[in-house]
């Protein structure tokens, strides 16, 4: 069985479309766990109506705590062999579960990643991700770190959870959760934690999910004008804890830190823009330690990223150090 986790917050205009896309799945052995994150519109009523009509649908309400808490609650309730996440303003193609499960079972995968159709409100494509057909055997922690750096953090498979399927046992046994208190980057963090344990990962080219871009969503406001350095630092501190559990070397984690932070640093027009956002970083000891480790090993950076990219990243972290020290 597949446990589908659906966090909901004030999406009364879209929630029926989303739930109907689950009900229409050609694979029928699923449970839909809806976590209403304190909606104050008609979303809750709509979800409860669906629960009354279909015994596979479960509805839980909580006061507003954010999408990470909602997803973590869904993980707590999940009882299926596999775990899948969907967003309440999107929809799944009716063959999503059947297609993905056929690969998970046949190839004994820990994670599968698939393509999506990214659509604007008018239904016009605005972005076309291209996930390639490839299978990865990740038998050691070092191989998993290399995969994170060269494939995942290069956005070859996207950071989102809704174009992936996971093993529930792997998530629960290793206590892999979304970092709470984070508005941006929590998806990346969850996947990085999970990938420390995944031994077999596959990418497929099938487009099985419709992502609808709408104003006000987190992705729509993530631009070069807005920085989430505080959130990324908090998220990466959580990833660091998981890396210690699997005995990942500090040098390997440092590269993960570099690549993940570059998601924010790389958007800058001038490095002075970092200053007000770095001042907001709460876990300054972690941020400082990782930044120093990066700066002390420029040769490692050149080896991994090459020039001039390594030089640019090194300078970014130099400015990060300067601002976290208040200089």
């Amino acid at each position: 069985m597949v446990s589908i986790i659906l966090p909901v917050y004030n999406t009364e205009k879209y929630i029926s479309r989303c739930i109907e896309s689950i009900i229409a799945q050609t694979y029928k052995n699923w449970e839909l766990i809806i976590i209403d994150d304190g909606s104050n519109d008609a979303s809750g009523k709509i979800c409860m109506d669906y629960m009354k009509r279909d015994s596979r649908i479960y509805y839980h309400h909580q006061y507003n705590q954010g999408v990470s808490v909602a997803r973590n609650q869904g993980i707590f309730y999940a009882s299926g062999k596999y775990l899948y996440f969907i967003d309440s303003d999107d929809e799944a193609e009716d063959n999503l579960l059947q297609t993905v499960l056929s690969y998970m079972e046949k190839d004994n995968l820990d994670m599968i990643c698939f393509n999506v159709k990214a659509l604007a409100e008018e239904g016009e494509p605005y972005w076309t991700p291209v996930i390639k057909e490839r299978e990865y055997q990740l038998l050691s922690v070092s191989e998993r770190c290399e995969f994170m750096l060269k494939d995942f953090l290069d956005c070859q498979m996207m950071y989102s959870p809704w174009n992936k399927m996971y093993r529930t046992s792997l998530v629960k046994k290793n206590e892999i959760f979304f970092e709470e208190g984070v508005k941006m980057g929590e998806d990346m963090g969850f996947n990085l934690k999970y990938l420390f344990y995944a031994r077999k990962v596959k990418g497929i080219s099938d487009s099985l999910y419709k992502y609808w871009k709408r104003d006000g969503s987190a992705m729509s406001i993530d631009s070069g004008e807005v920085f989430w350095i505080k959130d990324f630092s908090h998220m990466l501190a959580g990833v660091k804890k998981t890396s210690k559990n699997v005995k990942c070397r500090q040098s390997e984690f440092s590269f993960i830190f570099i690549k993940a932070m570059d998601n924010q640093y790389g958007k800058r027009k001038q490095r002075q823009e970092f200053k007000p956002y770095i001042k907001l970083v709460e876990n300054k000891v972690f941020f400082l330690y990782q930044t120093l480790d990066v700066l002390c090993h420029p040769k490692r950076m050149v080896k991994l990223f090459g020039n001039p990219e390594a030089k640019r990243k090194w300078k970014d972290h130099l400015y990060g150090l300067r601002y976290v020290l208040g200089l």
Side-chain angles (χ1 to χ4, degrees):
M1 182 170 72
V2 181
S3 294
I4 304 166
I5 297 173
L6 170 59
V8 176
Y9 180 70
N10 289 350
T11 49
E12 61 182 4
K13 289 173 59 179
Y14 315 102
I15 188 63
S16 291
R17 180 181 67 187
C18 177
I19 295 174
E20 289 289 347
S21 76
I22 298 301
I23 294 172
Q25 290 296 303
T26 54
Y27 177 83
K28 302 299 182 182
N29 189 19
W30 50 261
E31 62 175 359
L32 178 61
I33 302 167
I34 301 172
I35 308 295
D36 183 353
D37 189 36
S39 296
N40 51 33
D41 64 359
S43 297
K45 182 182 183 304
I46 294 169
C47 293
M48 284 191 286
D49 287 343
Y50 275 104
M51 180 179 65
K52 293 172 184 176
R53 289 159 42 189
D54 195 317
S55 61
R56 298 170 295 177
I57 298 176
Y58 304 89
Y59 173 81
H60 304 273
H61 181 274
Q62 64 181 31
Y63 69 88
N64 182 245
Q65 299 175 75
V67 67
S68 290
V69 177
R71 285 173 176 161
N72 290 341
Q73 278 294 102
I75 292 171
F76 174 79
Y77 290 117
S79 61
K81 182 179 180 181
Y82 299 106
L83 201 59
Y84 177 66
F85 298 92
I86 188 169
D87 281 0
S88 60
D89 48 357
D90 297 335
E91 59 186 305
E93 298 287 6
D94 58 11
N95 64 331
L96 187 154
L97 295 181
Q98 186 171 11
T99 301
V100 169
L101 279 170
S102 66
Y103 285 106
M104 292 289 286
E105 292 283 303
K106 177 172 64 72
D107 298 330
N108 194 29
L109 303 175
D110 290 323
M111 175 195 278
I112 190 167
C113 312
F114 49 87
N115 275 314
V116 306
K117 297 173 183 174
L119 305 168
E121 287 283 356
E122 300 77 20
E124 294 295 322
Y126 81 96
W127 166 54
T128 306
V130 181
I131 293 175
K132 298 176 182 178
E133 295 269 355
R134 186 174 174 185
E135 188 170 294
Y136 304 83
Q137 295 276 358
L138 310 173
L139 302 181
S140 68
V141 173
S142 291
E143 287 176 328
R144 291 166 208 156
C145 290
E146 185 177 1
F147 171 78
M148 294 181 212
L149 288 167
K150 293 186 177 179
D151 294 276
F152 179 72
L153 285 172
D154 273 346
C155 211
Q156 297 298 311
M157 294 188 166
M158 303 171 60
Y159 303 141
S160 58
W162 33 254
N163 78 318
K164 299 172 182 68
M165 185 172 283
Y166 311 86
R167 285 190 181 272
T168 308
S169 59
L170 211 58
V171 171
K172 292 197 173 190
K173 177 183 177 182
N174 298 296
E175 299 182 346
I176 302 167
F177 298 108
F178 290 86
E179 207 65 41
E180 298 180 4
V182 172
K183 293 182 179 179
M184 185 65 67
E186 79 287 346
D187 295 353
M188 179 193 289
F190 179 84
N191 282 302
L192 287 172
K193 293 175 187 177
Y194 188 86
L195 286 169
F196 276 120
Y197 296 96
R199 293 176 175 269
K200 201 170 184 182
V201 176
K202 189 181 184 75
I204 61 172
S205 60
D206 306 59
S207 292
L208 302 172
Y209 187 88
K210 288 182 181 177
Y211 168 78
W212 290 91
K213 180 178 182 290
R214 64 183 180 90
D215 294 337
S217 67
M219 285 184 69
S220 69
I221 60 174
D222 180 30
S223 69
E225 306 302 318
V226 180
F227 293 93
W228 305 91
I229 294 172
K230 171 185 172 182
D231 293 65
F232 270 66
S233 178
H234 182 62
M235 173 270 289
L236 285 165
V239 176
K240 174 69 172 178
K241 292 178 183 177
T242 303
S243 75
K244 287 182 177 179
N245 293 339
V246 298
K247 296 180 171 55
C248 170
R249 291 180 298 177
Q250 173 60 41
S251 60
E252 291 174 323
F253 180 78
S254 293
F255 286 139
I256 292 170
F257 179 85
I258 294 167
K259 288 292 286 283
M261 287 304 299
D262 198 54
N263 182 278
Q264 294 300 302
Y265 288 163
K267 295 176 180 178
R268 60 99 184 99
K269 295 176 182 176
Q270 296 182 345
R271 292 187 176 95
Q272 287 79 1
E273 296 174 45
F274 301 161
K275 189 172 184 178
Y277 297 94
I278 289 177
K279 281 186 175 182
L280 298 175
V281 170
E282 295 168 345
N283 50 342
K284 286 186 170 59
V285 173
F286 166 77
F287 187 90
L288 182 63
Y289 180 80
Q290 292 302 142
T291 302
L292 279 170
D293 190 64
V294 168
L295 293 172
C296 289
H297 297 92
K299 290 183 180 178
R300 287 204 319 238
M301 294 185 70
V302 172
K303 184 178 180 181
L304 181 65
F305 304 115
N307 273 320
E309 195 64 13
K311 183 178 180 181
R312 193 268 299 172
K313 293 178 193 288
W314 192 89
K315 284 187 175 181
D316 286 344
H317 286 274
L318 179 63
Y319 274 72
L321 175 67
R322 173 183 172 184
Y323 295 138
V324 80
L325 291 174
L327 301 177

